[in-house]
Amino acid sequence: MLAQRLPWSPAEVLSDPPNAPALAAGARALRIPTGPNDRFFDYCLQPYTPRCDPSGKLRGESLLWSSLAVAGVPVADDRPFHAIQRVAGRDMTVFGVKQQDGALSWELYFYDPDREDPRVTAANLRRELAGELELVPAVADTIGYFMVSFELDAAALARRRVDELDVYLPMHGQQGGFSYKFAAANRELRNTYRFHDPRAEIDAIVHQLERSVFVDTTRTDLAELLLPELLECAKICVARKRSADAIYYSGITVGQLLWFLRRFAYPAAVVDFIADNRGDLEHLRFDVGVDHRTGDDGRLVVPKTSYYSTL
Amino acid sequence: MSTPAPPIASWRRLDPEAEAVSDTVAPTVGAETELHSDRAGRYTDRAGRCTDRAGRCTDGAGRYDDQAGRYTDEAERYEAEQRCGDETDGDDEAVCHGDEADGGVAGRYDDEAGRCGVVAELYGDTAGLHDRLTGRAGAFARLGAVIARLRAGDRPPALACEVPVCPENLDALPRIVDLAHSLGALRCTFAAPTVDATAMAPVDVVIPAVLAALARCRELGVEGRVRGLPACLLGEEADSLEATRDASDPPAFACLFASRCELFERCAGLPTAYVHRFGWEARRLRPALRASPWPRRDGSPEAFAAWRALLGPAARRVTAVALDRCAARIGVDLGRGRSLVLELTPRTKDGPALARSRSFDIRYTQAKGIGGPGLARIVTTIAAAIVARDDGSLDLDPRRGLPPLPLPTVE
């Protein structure tokens, strides 16, 4: 019964992206229906149980296609995303939609800490995506990374070229990591991330937020950094970056996501798509991030925000 | 502890502005309060019209007046139309929470089960303060007049007062209790604002005022209750807090210390609007160190099956189970285009509910294609099945996605 409602059969899933027919027709399908084989992962690619029966609802990737449409990315430039989905497998790539300086961009994350899937090593991605997307830096798979990622904006999509990769090394004994930026000729440490259970480790979260070289905590209340609407979540990550601190909330509901998007002034079309399809997104959990630092006038500045789901 | 008020089967919110519209018609503070029944079970209202127990006009033989002068047997349609008011989702879905406000199924028949009551909002102990805070000149006088009329009636309803707590009336709270007592109130509920941050005051100012009011309640034998404030700040009066179960998405309440607090199950913390204005109050909140285990988590497909099984024979009609932070919503397809959603929330002592099982308050919502007695029969049957099968093993854990936390270490 369910299969009859789907525009593609489960057997086709791994070989033929659901957006392919629309792509061939020159259109972009935004509402991608769930399938019987869907899996559900957070932005750390850790599985979660959907909040309700997912049948007849939408896949998280619908948010990606919607954001591309809102950003005015030509449909033809969706091809790298389809190629990634084909190479890495459905549901196995985390995507982030970022808003900085009023512009949307995207980041794709590939996890395989235990080298269980040869498809998503940095070297294999570079090899398999060639022709659709050129990954310029070469990253040796011998490096003990647990994740690699790269950013795409409209220009990079048009060029079909990625000049920098991010490589993440794990912390020992706790959930967290260090990110390094790999370019063609150099590599440098960028960010550190620590993940916390917001209920069991609230003291650690507050400790980090209240100690910052970028946020003047004498002029910024904790409630501006640790948002009460999002505290009810599965995980909180506190990050140290080169020019800002950041906090990520994982496992939030679609209602919380909508609050976040409105709070940080995402384009109305991004918000409207999710609001209009809220009932079909209730089964999913999402993840969001906020960079912050104190501005010249002493007020808190949020230079970048992001939201995540899986492709 | 204050003296608890006697059980009141149904409370209705008093609207003195509406009541004052006509002096010729007796106050109709809920049809139930004005109904008279004979021993044969027939009901009449004060106008002498035949009604059913819910106050719906009938011809005395069970047919319903559709208020256009037509008598009809389409009770379902009539009742659905009657319920489609403020509580609808805007697409003709009748919503019933079973409370006094919408005249829900449970509330319609309890004039037989016990006393009925009205809830009056008191903002101040003087006309000046009350009228200023309500923004309506003469509101205080009208409220007093309506209450006086109610008390002069044949069957005066029980009276409870709800006192919206705001910066302007903090000093007056004990005096408001005095006034409520003089009006015959059995209960005073001090309700802190939960949405409008401009109407909020810091807890270090609000809490002493509310505690003083609760003390006055105790002196006068009035049941004192609190709504919308953190339980941990109420000290020995923590039991006065009405359980704050925040089922909104995104959450309307939050607390930094929820994970370590024994009071978590009935206290949601501070309104998020408050946190944005006054901060997390990390140095003022006093979480009670938790020693009891957290309720079991749900979320696995097996847990879904267990939820479905609660419905007994109706389990085969379940179309969806959504486990939210604080509620299980179970979609039920009744066939022929009829459906409803059962909503189970953690059991309360006296929260609005059609029925209470061992662990849950049971309600329904989003009834489609059905109403009236047919709907009542179905939901009553399903609720009875849940009551019979709920052995307490299923819990709604407001936390989500987390492993059980280790017990806190008491130093």
Side-chain angles (χ1 to χ4, degrees):
Chain A
M1 187 68 182
L2 178 64
Q4 290 174 356
R5 292 207 306 269
L6 298 174
W8 72 96
S9 71
E12 295 171 320
V13 160
L14 292 178
S15 59
D16 203 6
N19 227 345
L23 187 64
R28 176 187 281 129
L30 305 184
R31 302 178 80 257
I32 308 300
T34 53
N37 295 334
D38 282 359
R39 290 162 291 179
F40 301 90
F41 299 100
D42 67 11
Y43 76 150
C44 293
L45 214 66
Q46 293 181 334
Y48 65 85
T49 303
R51 298 176 61 231
C52 58
D53 185 351
S55 58
K57 298 186 183 295
L58 295 182
R59 287 172 51 78
E61 67 176 282
S62 302
L63 274 58
L64 171 64
W65 307 122
S66 165
S67 69
L68 289 164
V70 172
V73 172
V75 177
D77 290 347
D78 289 357
R79 292 187 63 90
F81 295 104
H82 294 302
I84 287 165
Q85 194 176 44
R86 220 167 23 240
V87 170
R90 287 183 86 197
D91 305 314
M92 300 308 293
T93 306
V94 174
F95 71 84
V97 181
K98 309 195 173 200
Q99 179 167 254
Q100 186 167 17
D101 299 328
L104 297 181
S105 62
W106 300 268
E107 185 159 4
L108 296 151
Y109 305 83
F110 305 87
Y111 286 86
D112 189 20
D114 298 323
R115 296 292 185 275
E116 295 170 316
D117 187 349
R119 292 179 297 175
V120 294
T121 66
N124 192 63
L125 286 169
R126 188 167 187 257
R127 186 166 48 246
E128 293 292 329
L129 292 176
E132 295 288 1
L133 191 64
E134 180 190 2
L135 303 184
V136 174
V139 176
D141 287 344
T142 52
I143 296 173
Y145 61 83
F146 69 93
M147 191 237 302
V148 294
S149 73
F150 54 80
E151 296 184 47
L152 292 166
D153 58 16
L157 282 167
R159 287 195 307 269
R160 301 283 203 277
R161 196 180 75 226
V162 173
D163 292 323
E164 296 179 327
L165 260 69
D166 292 300
V167 175
Y168 300 76
L169 303 184
M171 289 182 176
H172 176 69
Q174 56 187 306
Q175 197 175 0
F178 309 89
S179 75
Y180 293 82
K181 182 71 75 182
F182 275 54
N186 68 305
R187 56 195 68 176
E188 62 182 14
L189 175 65
R190 285 293 180 93
N191 309 329
T192 66
Y193 303 87
R194 282 191 63 187
F195 293 83
H196 299 279
D197 175 337
R199 303 206 177 278
E201 301 174 281
I202 190 66
D203 292 336
I205 294 167
V206 172
H207 175 93
Q208 292 174 85
L209 292 174
E210 289 185 333
R211 288 158 182 81
S212 171
V213 298
F214 296 118
V215 177
D216 181 351
T217 54
T218 66
R219 305 171 76 168
T220 301
D221 191 273
L222 178 63
E224 292 184 71
L225 308 173
L226 184 58
L227 300 168
E229 284 81 1
L230 302 179
L231 180 66
E232 182 75 31
C233 65
K235 267 182 298 195
I236 283 181
C237 173
V238 182
R240 306 291 194 195
K241 301 187 176 182
R242 291 193 308 166
S243 58
D245 290 339
I247 183 167
Y248 297 81
Y249 306 86
S250 178
I252 65 172
T253 64
V254 67
Q256 290 174 298
L257 175 64
L258 279 166
W259 178 87
F260 166 86
L261 296 171
R262 290 173 176 134
R263 166 71 178 77
F264 293 105
Y266 272 77
V270 167
V271 179
D272 289 346
F273 176 81
I274 297 171
D276 292 346
N277 292 286
R278 178 174 180 155
D280 289 335
L281 297 167
E282 290 278 0
H283 59 300
L284 296 171
R285 296 193 184 280
F286 303 92
D287 317 280
V288 295
V290 183
D291 285 15
H292 44 235
R293 65 167 186 261
T294 298
D296 294 338
D297 62 355
R299 295 182 183 179
L300 193 70
V301 174
V302 175
K304 185 170 72 173
T305 59
S306 49
Y307 61 96
Y308 305 84
S309 187
T310 53
L311 176 60
Chain B
M1 280 290 292
S2 305
T3 306
I8 302 298
S10 172
W11 289 97
R12 283 179 178 272
R13 188 167 292 269
L14 187 60
D15 183 352
E17 307 302 318
E19 301 302 336
V21 170
S22 170
D23 291 330
T24 59
V25 178
T28 53
V29 186
E32 291 91 334
T33 61
E34 304 300 327
L35 296 180
H36 304 275
S37 68
D38 61 18
R39 292 188 179 277
R42 289 183 300 240
Y43 290 78
T44 57
D45 63 14
R46 285 196 169 193
R49 296 173 302 191
C50 292
T51 73
D52 68 1
R53 288 179 297 184
R56 298 172 303 184
C57 293
T58 73
D59 63 356
R63 294 188 304 170
Y64 291 84
D65 180 356
D66 65 0
Q67 295 187 332
R70 297 168 302 195
Y71 285 91
T72 173
D73 290 325
E74 293 180 336
E76 294 180 8
R77 180 178 172 189
Y78 177 92
E79 188 168 89
E81 289 171 352
Q82 293 297 300
R83 281 204 313 276
C84 286
D86 295 338
E87 297 288 334
T88 63
D89 291 336
D91 55 357
D92 288 341
E93 294 179 10
V95 176
C96 173
H97 297 299
D99 64 6
E100 70 285 359
D102 66 358
V105 174
R108 289 177 185 276
Y109 300 105
D110 50 23
D111 56 321
E112 287 186 323
R115 301 178 63 188
C116 296
V118 295
V119 179
E121 275 194 342
L122 267 181
Y123 283 80
D125 62 317
T126 64
L129 182 58
H130 182 91
D131 290 2
R132 180 159 55 89
L133 293 179
T134 58
R136 295 191 297 267
F140 188 76
R142 287 192 291 276
L143 178 63
V146 170
I147 292 174
R149 272 194 293 168
L150 289 172
R151 296 185 71 186
D154 294 338
R155 292 175 54 189
L159 176 68
C161 289
E162 185 167 307
V163 185
V165 176
C166 48
E168 293 85 354
N169 69 2
L170 292 176
D171 292 341
L173 293 183
R175 298 195 300 276
I176 294 175
V177 175
D178 289 341
L179 172 61
H181 180 253
S182 72
L183 293 173
L186 302 173
R187 186 181 77 201
C188 266
T189 301
F190 303 96
T194 57
V195 176
D196 182 6
T198 64
M200 297 174 179
V203 289
D204 60 340
V205 176
V206 171
I207 293 295
V210 169
L211 290 176
L214 290 173
R216 188 61 182 149
C217 283
R218 191 186 299 275
E219 291 168 5
L220 297 175
V222 175
E223 182 186 3
R225 290 190 187 180
V226 179
R227 193 180 302 151
L229 291 170
C232 65
L233 296 183
L234 294 172
E236 294 180 352
E237 297 285 1
D239 287 342
S240 301
L241 181 75
E242 291 184 357
T244 311
R245 295 318 325 158
D246 174 22
S248 52
D249 184 13
F253 287 80
C255 178
L256 275 184
F257 306 115
S259 67
R260 63 182 61 159
C261 188
E262 190 68 61
L263 304 171
F264 175 67
E265 273 80 359
R266 57 196 175 92
C267 173
L270 292 161
T272 54
Y274 179 97
V275 176
H276 284 298
R277 180 170 180 197
F278 296 109
W280 282 102
E281 300 288 17
R283 289 169 182 80
R284 290 201 176 96
L285 296 177
R286 297 193 296 269
L289 278 182
R290 189 177 184 93
S292 55
W294 289 100
R296 219 176 61 192
R297 291 191 305 120
D298 55 42
S300 68
E302 294 75 21
F304 282 30
W307 289 94
R308 280 199 299 271
L310 272 181
L311 275 66
R316 63 190 169 87
R317 295 188 172 276
V318 171
T319 55
V321 178
L323 294 176
D324 211 329
R325 294 179 309 116
C326 307
R329 294 183 180 85
I330 304 173
V332 182
D333 181 2
L334 302 172
R336 290 180 294 172
R338 302 171 305 167
S339 64
L340 56 83
V341 174
L342 281 171
E343 191 174 74
L344 309 185
T345 53
R347 181 186 171 114
T348 62
K349 192 168 67 176
D350 56 0
L354 285 170
R356 294 183 220 288
S357 65
R358 187 164 169 182
S359 298
F360 308 114
D361 285 355
I362 304 168
R363 291 183 286 273
Y364 74 89
T365 183
Q366 298 179 45
K368 293 179 181 174
I370 188 171
L375 176 62
R377 269 196 308 277
I378 288 171
V379 295
T380 301
T381 301
I382 296 177
I386 295 173
V387 170
R389 286 167 177 77
D390 177 17
D391 61 2
S393 61
L394 287 171
D395 283 309
L396 284 165
D397 181 355
R399 301 177 309 141
R400 62 185 182 209
L402 300 176
L405 299 176
L407 294 179
T409 303
V410 181
E411 297 177 351

